[in-house]
Amino acid sequence: MSISLETIVSLAKRRGFVFQSSEIYGGLNGCWDYGPLGVELLNNIKREWWQAMTFREDIEGIDAAILMHPKVWEASGHVANFTDPMVDCKECKARFRADQLEDAMCGNPAYKGRKAIKCMEEGKFTEPRQFNLMFKTFIGPVEDEAAIVYLRPETAQGIFVNFLNVLNSSRQKIPFGIAQIGKAFRNEINTKNFLFRTREFEQMEMQYFVRPGEDMKWFEYWKEERMNWFVNLGLKKEKLRFSPHPEDKLAHYAKAAVDIEYEFPFGWGEIEGIHNRTNFDLTQHSNYSGKVLDYFDDETKEKYIPFIIETSAGASRSFMTFLIDAYFEEEVRGEKRVVLKLHQKLAPIKVGIFPLVNRDGMPEIAQNITKDLRKDFRVFYDDKGAVGRRYRRQDEVGTPYCVTVDSQTLQDQTVTIRERDSMEQIRIDMNKIREFLKDKLD
Ligand code: ATP
């Protein structure tokens, strides 16, 4: 089944997953707000990632500040190199990334449907200029060169500069990693494809410090681990692939790099990068800060600057990927059913609870069940409309189970539990609902 991005954007808005930022003012390009269900899904993705990383004995977590010393970005190479080539159309004044003209559309309504590359061929564009993607702001009241700070364009640097702090306070030994989830900001020239390329987004990054010489072994290890993470959380295997960076396209610091790509409605796109960053980062920060960032191995008595294997995923891009991958339209008894087959761990609501009708004490029983289950799960109580409609509403947001209280409940204290994907219904004792859900959801 092929689905359009518009279908996902519209579901996301209608059901409270994602709204345009500052919508009542006409929106702010490249920025999005997560609504009540969206924030649950996003938090669930981040929690799964955090646990996959920090429940291991060899990984510690941190949460570094967004604003960092401006020297960090000189040392990292971002001030000099974090640029994209930009061109302007002399005719319609639209701006484009010069290396992405194949995918971009001309902004002039007079040439509707024409690709921007055509305008370039006709000489409508200016020469490319390098545009730095970092957002600048000022620290303190004086807005001059000396007060410039940047909103971080990646979370990784907060990890590198804390390497010694974490090493010394955690008593880890190499190999070990540091994980972090946080906001990053890039002043992208063109934002597009919903959450795929935005100006404010969230990253989930882990930097794994290893002995030089063991770097490629760990690169291969993390490549597999990260692919398995996506597959185990339900993404379709056939929609995922590795895309290695050719040697002549590697970033200046990298020895090897591979992207995990997903096949979106608009084509294949990166969701996570795994990079062998060599000892570039710690060497640079050591040179710029004047601090020794070596590691001393007690056992072998060797001293070295560790190599770093980085796993860098977008939380927001993963969010969009899980949403798209889970979306199904099916025909059930002559009617269209929209269902999000989200992994149970990611589902924003775990169980819907309904009284079949609003009389004979059914609402009271259903409310008591709701109150009780809320201690453990995110629950949604719904007594509006036909029960079939209520099932559909929960299907559309990925709720794995629905419990219905009906007239038989009044006689024998059993309820119906209906499973989202198979739509199968079973009856169980209402005192066993928690046990059932715990068993299924864990
Ligand atoms: P691209 O080539 O698409 O600009 P990149 O190679 O610069 O991306 P990285 O710097 O490797 O991306 O970033 C790591 C991850 O952060 C990406 O895999 C993606 O999931 C996420 N990411 C990067 N830029 C954006 C953005 N503008 N909006 C949303 N997520 C992003």
Side-chain angles (χ1 to χ4, degrees):
M1 183 189 72
S2 71
I3 49 155
S4 71
L5 199 56
E6 288 70 42
T7 308
I8 300 296
V9 178
S10 135
L11 172 81
K13 173 162 186 197
R14 190 160 36 85
R15 298 308 310 267
F17 283 93
V18 181
F19 310 122
Q20 208 185 355
S21 160
S22 325
E23 193 183 330
I24 59 168
Y25 288 97
L28 181 68
N29 218 338
C31 301
W32 297 88
D33 296 342
Y34 291 83
L37 293 187
V39 70
E40 294 295 332
L41 173 57
L42 185 64
N43 282 343
N44 292 345
I45 293 170
K46 291 192 284 186
R47 194 194 50 244
E48 285 306 311
W49 184 90
W50 191 252
Q51 292 188 355
M53 291 295 173
T54 64
F55 281 19
R56 298 167 54 112
E57 60 177 357
D58 57 349
I59 295 185
E60 306 288 342
I62 62 161
D63 186 4
I66 287 172
L67 300 178
M68 301 179 75
H69 196 289
K71 275 243 149 81
V72 167
W73 307 108
E74 285 176 38
S76 67
H78 281 80
V79 172
N81 298 322
F82 197 57
T83 55
D84 279 336
M86 180 172 75
V87 287
D88 292 276
C89 177
K90 290 183 256 178
E91 204 172 297
C92 76
K93 309 290 174 231
R95 286 211 155 130
F96 299 98
R97 242 176 94 166
D99 57 343
Q100 289 185 349
L101 293 175
E102 300 273 4
D103 302 331
M105 300 308 279
C106 159
N108 191 341
Y111 303 118
K112 204 166 174 269
R114 140 199 280 232
K115 292 234 160 131
I117 189 97
K118 188 110 197 354
C119 308
M120 190 204 70
E121 285 159 11
E122 289 176 6
K124 294 190 200 295
F125 289 165
T126 57
E127 282 300 304
R129 286 171 290 148
Q130 288 303 324
F131 171 75
N132 195 298
L133 300 186
M134 282 197 294
F135 280 98
K136 267 186 199 166
T137 185
F138 302 94
I139 212 151
V142 186
E143 297 194 1
D144 66 10
E145 281 289 307
I148 288 179
V149 285
Y150 301 97
L151 299 190
R152 66 180 177 200
E154 61 177 29
T155 56
Q157 301 299 326
I159 294 181
F160 304 141
V161 301
N162 276 301
F163 165 67
L164 276 191
N165 285 336
V166 175
L167 180 70
N168 294 336
S169 57
S170 68
R171 303 171 67 192
Q172 286 283 358
K173 284 188 165 41
I174 273 177
F176 79 98
I178 305 177
Q180 176 171 219
I181 298 177
K183 289 260 173 151
F185 304 83
R186 298 183 187 179
N187 202 357
E188 302 276 359
I189 297 168
N190 296 124
T191 58
K192 62 176 176 188
N193 294 333
F194 192 31
L195 304 174
F196 187 81
R197 191 173 301 287
T198 56
R199 296 200 166 103
E200 174 175 342
F201 55 97
E202 224 167 347
Q203 290 188 311
M204 308 185 288
E205 294 197 301
M206 193 280 298
Q207 313 290 332
Y208 202 73
F209 300 86
V210 305
R211 195 169 167 270
E214 294 189 352
D215 45 311
M216 284 316 289
K217 177 183 89 182
W218 286 110
F219 177 77
E220 291 302 325
Y221 171 86
W222 281 109
K223 199 176 125 182
E224 296 304 323
E225 281 290 297
R226 294 306 304 144
M227 179 63 100
N228 291 341
W229 186 79
F230 285 110
V231 172
N232 291 339
L233 282 175
L235 291 192
K236 296 181 203 85
K237 263 192 180 153
E238 65 275 17
K239 293 257 173 196
L240 287 163
R241 72 177 185 196
F242 286 119
S243 171
H245 293 203
E247 245 171 68
D248 59 331
K249 294 260 166 59
L250 286 176
H252 56 284
Y253 51 77
K255 178 168 158 189
V258 64
D259 292 338
I260 296 177
E261 291 188 339
Y262 182 82
E263 193 179 14
F264 291 102
F266 47 87
W268 289 92
E270 170 186 340
I271 51 175
E272 170 155 355
I274 295 102
H275 310 125
N276 180 345
R277 301 184 64 113
T278 68
N279 59 9
F280 174 83
D281 307 285
L282 292 181
T283 308
Q284 286 291 99
H285 285 305
S286 180
N287 291 343
Y288 275 72
S289 67
K291 299 283 182 310
V292 178
L293 299 178
D294 293 345
Y295 176 80
F296 180 70
D297 189 322
D298 290 335
E299 278 159 34
T300 61
K301 309 291 175 215
E302 278 176 292
K303 200 157 92 174
Y304 57 83
I305 297 185
F307 270 42
I308 292 174
I309 306 302
E310 165 180 79
T311 69
S312 174
S316 340
R317 248 187 224 180
S318 302
F319 175 101
M320 182 172 102
T321 312
F322 282 116
L323 210 54
I324 290 173
D325 198 74
Y327 185 94
F328 286 83
E329 283 176 11
E330 298 172 349
E331 196 170 302
V332 179
R333 287 185 288 278
E335 270 188 45
K336 181 168 106 173
R337 162 171 113 120
V338 171
V339 51
L340 282 188
K341 296 187 180 174
L342 284 170
H343 191 286
Q344 302 186 344
K345 289 204 153 109
L346 301 185
I349 299 168
K350 305 298 182 204
V351 54
I353 314 229
F354 317 144
L356 183 66
V357 288
N358 286 316
R359 57 181 152 76
D360 303 336
M362 291 182 213
E364 289 74 16
I365 298 174
Q367 274 160 9
N368 280 341
I369 295 174
T370 305
K371 210 164 126 201
D372 183 46
L373 291 181
R374 272 212 176 113
K375 294 175 199 148
D376 290 303
F377 309 103
R378 200 151 192 285
V379 174
F380 190 83
Y381 176 81
D382 191 1
D383 59 7
K384 309 255 171 354
V387 77
R389 297 275 310 269
R390 287 181 251 167
Y391 283 140
R392 295 290 181 272
R393 281 202 288 266
Q394 292 310 309
D395 288 344
E396 202 181 40
V397 298
T399 307
Y401 295 98
C402 290
V403 170
T404 304
V405 171
D406 54 22
S407 51
Q408 198 179 324
T409 315
L410 309 176
Q411 287 154 24
D412 64 5
Q413 279 81 49
T414 62
V415 291
T416 301
I417 297 196
R418 179 235 195 216
E419 200 268 332
R420 177 194 68 199
D421 299 348
S422 63
M423 294 185 288
E424 261 168 31
Q425 304 193 2
I426 56 163
R427 282 202 87 83
I428 66 163
D429 192 300
M430 75 186 191
N431 296 318
K432 300 236 163 80
I433 305 174
R434 164 177 279 102
E435 210 178 303
F436 173 90
L437 290 173
K438 283 226 146 147
D439 185 41
K440 294 284 182 190
L441 295 170
D442 284 345

